[in-house]
């Protein structure tokens, strides 16, 4: 029979992962880094925290093995240690959505009224891309598109959507996607597209889920 103290130490080590994620800001960091590598300064801006506070969170998550780093001059860049970290975050998010009271209400308060926001799943979108029946818009910030995107998607950051509308042909369905099921950018894009007379839907989740499903992706090669 195994030693009790050894078992306690083992399960305490497992719990370090949960402890490293025991903050809404840290969960948000994982959601962000699932899109690709970002600098400390970029992460701080995205989560609306000071650089000092953001660095504290990032270092704690790196110590727990969730993140890896690289240095470029004076700047430090963080990325997820592996795709398993993104999978763990996705599972945690899905458990909360299914079992924690009030998550739907909180999601609605953040995302807004979703009546009229139609969705489609990954397999349907992949089939329609293959047939050339749809235009796909990646409405995340440009650095995330460059790190990786759905193959064939157009980079259309949400802040620049209106100026891109003129390039969209009439009568073609448009599908927008962003970081995941709780990313507001895709909802905003669909609302704007519908207001302008386009037939628009959003991907039911986002790029990380598409990538983990083994569907076609591309990245921008830096020269």
């Amino acid at each position: 029979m195994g030693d009790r103290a050894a078992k306690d130490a083992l399960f305490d080590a497992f719990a370090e992962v949960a402890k490293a994620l025991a903050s809404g800001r840290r969960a948000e960091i994982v959601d962000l880094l699932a899109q690709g590598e970002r600098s400390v300064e970029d992460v701080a801006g995205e989560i609306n925290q000071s650089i000092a506070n953001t660095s504290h969170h990032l270092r704690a998550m790196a110590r727990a093995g969730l993140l890896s780093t690289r240095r470029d001059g004076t700047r430090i860049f963080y990325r997820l240690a592996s795709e398993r970290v993104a999978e763990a975050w996705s599972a945690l998010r899905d458990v909360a959505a299914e079992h924690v009271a009030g998550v739907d209400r909180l999601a609605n308060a953040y995302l807004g009224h979703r009546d009229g926001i139609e969705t489609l799943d990954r397999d349907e979108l992949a089939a329609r891309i293959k047939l050339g029946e749809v235009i796909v818009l990646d409405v995340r910030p440009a650095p995330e598109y460059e790190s990786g995107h759905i193959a064939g998607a157009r980079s259309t950051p949400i802040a620049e959507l209106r100026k891109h509308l003129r390039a969209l042909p009439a009568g073609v369905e448009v599908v927008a996607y962003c970081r995941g099921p709780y990313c507001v950018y895709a909802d905003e894009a669909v609302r704007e597209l519908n207001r302008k007379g386009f037939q628009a839907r959003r991907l039911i989740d986002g790029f990380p889920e598409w990538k983990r499903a083994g569907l076609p992706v591309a990245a921008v090669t830096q020269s």
Side-chain angles (χ1 to χ4, degrees):
M1 182 176 292
D3 178 77
R4 178 73 249 180
K7 184 175 183 179
D8 287 347
L10 173 63
F11 278 78
D12 285 344
F14 293 151
E16 286 299 313
V17 172
K19 186 187 297 183
L21 287 173
S23 155
R25 300 295 68 69
R26 294 183 185 181
E28 188 178 358
I29 287 170
V30 175
D31 193 59
L32 175 64
L33 295 183
Q35 317 304 317
E37 180 184 76
R38 300 295 285 269
S39 70
V40 175
E41 293 81 4
D42 287 343
V43 175
E46 286 282 352
I47 69 172
N48 196 28
Q49 298 284 301
S50 69
I51 290 176
N53 196 35
T54 301
S55 294
H56 169 75
H57 286 310
L58 290 166
R59 287 195 299 268
M61 295 168 73
R63 285 195 299 271
L66 301 181
L67 306 181
S68 300
T69 66
R70 71 174 178 89
R71 183 180 290 273
D72 184 1
T74 60
R75 302 184 76 192
I76 299 175
F77 291 79
Y78 283 83
R79 62 185 181 278
L80 298 186
S82 73
E83 282 294 319
R84 297 303 299 276
V85 178
E87 291 171 9
W89 155 239
S90 180
L92 177 67
R93 184 188 65 205
D94 292 347
V95 168
E98 186 169 345
H99 298 291
V100 177
V103 168
D104 284 348
R105 175 179 53 80
L106 294 171
N108 290 337
Y110 171 59
L111 295 168
H113 188 61
R114 303 191 90 181
D115 286 354
I117 303 290
E118 296 186 21
T119 64
L120 76 170
D121 62 30
R122 293 187 298 271
D123 289 341
E124 182 182 355
L125 179 56
R128 300 203 65 191
I129 291 172
K130 190 172 183 180
L131 294 172
E133 296 178 344
V134 66
I135 291 175
V136 182
L137 303 184
D138 184 320
V139 296
R140 301 174 300 160
E144 297 177 19
Y145 175 88
E146 292 167 2
S147 292
H149 55 268
I150 293 175
R154 302 181 183 185
S155 179
T156 314
I158 189 63
E160 303 173 12
L161 176 63
R162 289 188 178 181
K163 75 177 186 181
H164 287 277
L165 291 180
R166 292 187 298 272
L168 297 178
V172 175
E173 183 179 7
V174 182
V175 175
Y177 74 90
C178 53
R179 293 169 175 167
Y182 298 101
C183 177
V184 72
Y185 299 149
D187 283 24
E188 291 177 357
V190 169
R191 291 189 187 101
E192 180 65 15
L193 287 159
N194 285 336
R195 280 195 294 267
K196 297 299 184 180
F198 292 94
Q199 181 187 358
R201 292 192 280 175
R202 67 158 289 162
L203 179 62
I204 197 166
D205 39 41
F207 175 70
E209 293 81 8
W210 178 278
K211 182 181 178 181
R212 286 200 301 274
L215 294 165
V217 301
V220 175
T221 304
Q222 300 296 329
S223 57

